[in-house]
Amino acid sequence: MLKRQNPSAPEHRRDLAADGGALSMSHNDSRSFFNLSQLVLSAGQIKPSPALKHSKITYFEVEIVDVQSKKQICIVDKVPPASTLLDVKHKFHKACPQWYPSRVGLQLERNGPFLKDSVSIQSLAVSSIVTLYFTDLGQQVGWTTFFLTEYTGPLLIYLLFYIRLSTIYDQVESRKNFRHPVVHLACFCHCLHYIRHLLETLFVHKFSEGHTPLKNMIKGCAFYWGFTSWIAYYINHPRYTPPSFGHKQVSYAALAFLMCEAGNHFINVALAHQTNSGNRTCFPSPTYNPFTWLFLLVSCPNYTYEAGSWISFTVMTQTLPVGIFAFLMVIQMSLWAQKKHKVYLKRFYPEVRRKAAMIPIIF
């Protein structure tokens, strides 16, 4: 029989030590894990370490290129991401003092639209370098100055003709001929129209862009001032003849004129105080004021009332120059109304979908 061999003492001790060591390590690990768990539970949630702030700030470089020659004019460097296009124009003005901000037109593409001053540089950037095309917009004037100049002229010019200056009319003929009441009424209505425009320019209207080319103001003044001189000359002439249907024609036309003036004012006030729903501006809706009910039919009732004013003034005075002026104004306001109607369709599609631009019934 073969005897079972017992391991030698050193080997036996080594095996026991190995087994014991493994057991002791396992026991220590479990105790360590238990102690760590107790520590976490007693301390609460483990707070994340605060994120390190980036010390490096990203800047953009804006390259200004002439739209005609494609040559680089300058580079505006160190533009923060939050900067707007107006900030870039001010920095560009410092580099090139002859180009003040209101005269600078910037485009992202050569044939693209001019960018608004409120556009952020970060929204235009594809890389750290932004290329913009420069166009000289010419001499600029503010919108308030534009309208005040355009409307003050007709007001003063008409009064000069109304008092019948000796340099305009024959004084002997002026004293001999009696003024018909419609002449005084026409002066009142004409002055009321332009005084309303001036007051609304100062206290009602809100202008989005700050400037317009000076040549536009010159053309506007030439149109309004020239026609006012022609209209005032005939209405205030000593040989002016009253309307064919007399008092009734004058009275009804004057009443229609005053109603259109009131309606135009209330519409402009409603447009200046458009309501906001969340982040979206809502199209003005009719109120208890009957003059605002025209919003149900057209999207630009202010032009409708303006056209009505001049048509009523034409009927009231029965003068050819007024008729020509009213005809041109209706055409011009129809074009403006169509342009605004397209903008309204994009912004307020469900509300203006079934409305006309300026003239009711014509959709």
Coordinates of all heavy atoms in Angstrom, one line a residue, residues 157 159-171 174 179:
I157 N -46.3 126.9 -46.4 CA -46.5 127.4 -47.8 C -48.0 127.7 -48.0 O -48.3 128.8 -48.6 CB -46.0 126.3 -48.8 CG1 -44.5 126.3 -48.8 CG2 -46.5 126.6 -50.2 CD1 -43.9 125.1 -49.6
L159 N -50.2 128.7 -45.8 CA -50.6 129.9 -45.1 C -50.1 131.1 -45.8 O -50.8 132.2 -45.8 CB -50.0 129.8 -43.7 CG -50.7 128.8 -42.8 CD1 -49.9 128.7 -41.4 CD2 -52.2 129.1 -42.6
L160 N -49.0 131.0 -46.5 CA -48.5 132.2 -47.3 C -49.4 132.5 -48.4 O -49.6 133.7 -48.7 CB -47.1 131.9 -47.8 CG -45.9 131.8 -46.8 CD1 -44.6 131.4 -47.4 CD2 -45.8 133.1 -46.0
F161 N -49.9 131.5 -49.1 CA -50.9 131.8 -50.1 C -52.3 132.2 -49.6 O -53.0 133.0 -50.2 CB -51.1 130.5 -51.0 CG -50.0 130.3 -52.0 CD1 -48.9 129.5 -51.6 CD2 -50.0 130.9 -53.2 CE1 -47.9 129.3 -52.5 CE2 -49.0 130.7 -54.1 CZ -47.9 129.9 -53.8
Y162 N -52.6 131.7 -48.4 CA -53.9 132.1 -47.8 C -54.0 133.5 -47.4 O -55.0 134.2 -47.6 CB -54.1 131.2 -46.6 CG -55.4 131.5 -45.8 CD1 -56.7 131.2 -46.3 CD2 -55.4 132.2 -44.6 CE1 -57.8 131.5 -45.6 CE2 -56.5 132.5 -43.9 CZ -57.7 132.1 -44.4 OH -58.9 132.4 -43.7
I163 N -52.9 134.1 -46.9 CA -52.9 135.5 -46.6 C -52.8 136.4 -47.8 O -52.8 137.7 -47.7 CB -51.8 135.9 -45.5 CG1 -50.4 135.6 -46.1 CG2 -52.0 135.1 -44.3 CD1 -49.3 135.9 -45.2
R164 N -52.6 135.8 -49.0 CA -52.6 136.6 -50.3 C -51.5 137.7 -50.2 O -51.8 138.9 -50.2 CB -53.9 137.2 -50.6 CG -55.0 136.1 -50.9 CD -56.3 136.8 -51.3 NE -57.3 135.8 -51.7 CZ -58.5 136.1 -52.1 NH1 -58.9 137.4 -52.1 NH2 -59.4 135.2 -52.5
L165 N -50.2 137.2 -50.3 CA -49.1 138.1 -50.3 C -49.2 139.0 -51.6 O -49.6 138.5 -52.6 CB -47.8 137.4 -50.2 CG -47.5 136.6 -48.9 CD1 -46.2 135.8 -49.0 CD2 -47.4 137.6 -47.7
S166 N -48.7 140.2 -51.5 CA -48.7 141.1 -52.6 C -47.8 140.6 -53.7 O -48.0 140.9 -54.9 CB -48.3 142.5 -52.2 OG -47.0 142.5 -51.6
T167 N -46.8 139.8 -53.4 CA -45.9 139.3 -54.4 C -46.5 138.1 -55.2 O -45.9 137.7 -56.2 CB -44.6 138.8 -53.7 OG1 -44.9 137.9 -52.7 CG2 -43.8 140.0 -53.1
I168 N -47.6 137.6 -54.7 CA -48.3 136.5 -55.4 C -49.5 136.9 -56.1 O -49.7 136.5 -57.3 CB -48.6 135.4 -54.3 CG1 -47.4 134.9 -53.6 CG2 -49.3 134.2 -55.0 CD1 -47.6 133.9 -52.5
Y169 N -50.4 137.7 -55.5 CA -51.7 138.1 -56.1 C -51.7 139.6 -56.2 O -51.0 140.3 -55.5 CB -52.9 137.6 -55.2 CG -52.9 136.1 -55.0 CD1 -52.7 135.6 -53.7 CD2 -53.2 135.2 -56.1 CE1 -52.8 134.2 -53.5 CE2 -53.2 133.9 -55.9 CZ -53.0 133.3 -54.6 OH -53.1 132.0 -54.4
D170 N -52.6 140.0 -57.1 CA -52.8 141.5 -57.3 C -53.6 142.0 -56.1 O -54.7 141.4 -55.8 CB -53.5 141.7 -58.6 CG -53.8 143.2 -58.8 OD1 -52.8 144.0 -59.0 OD2 -55.0 143.6 -58.7
Q171 N -53.1 143.0 -55.4 CA -53.8 143.4 -54.2 C -55.2 144.1 -54.4 O -56.1 143.9 -53.7 CB -52.9 144.4 -53.4 CG -51.7 143.8 -52.8 CD -52.0 142.7 -51.8 OE1 -52.7 143.0 -50.8 NE2 -51.6 141.5 -52.0
S174 N -57.5 141.3 -55.0 CA -57.7 140.6 -53.8 C -58.7 141.3 -52.8 O -59.6 140.6 -52.2 CB -56.4 140.4 -53.0 OG -55.5 139.6 -53.8
R179 N -64.2 136.4 -50.5 CA -63.7 135.0 -50.3 C -64.9 134.1 -50.0 O -65.7 134.4 -49.0 CB -62.7 134.9 -49.2 CG -61.4 135.5 -49.5 CD -60.3 135.0 -48.6 NE -59.0 135.7 -48.7 CZ -57.9 135.3 -48.1 NH1 -57.9 134.2 -47.5 NH2 -56.8 136.0 -48.3

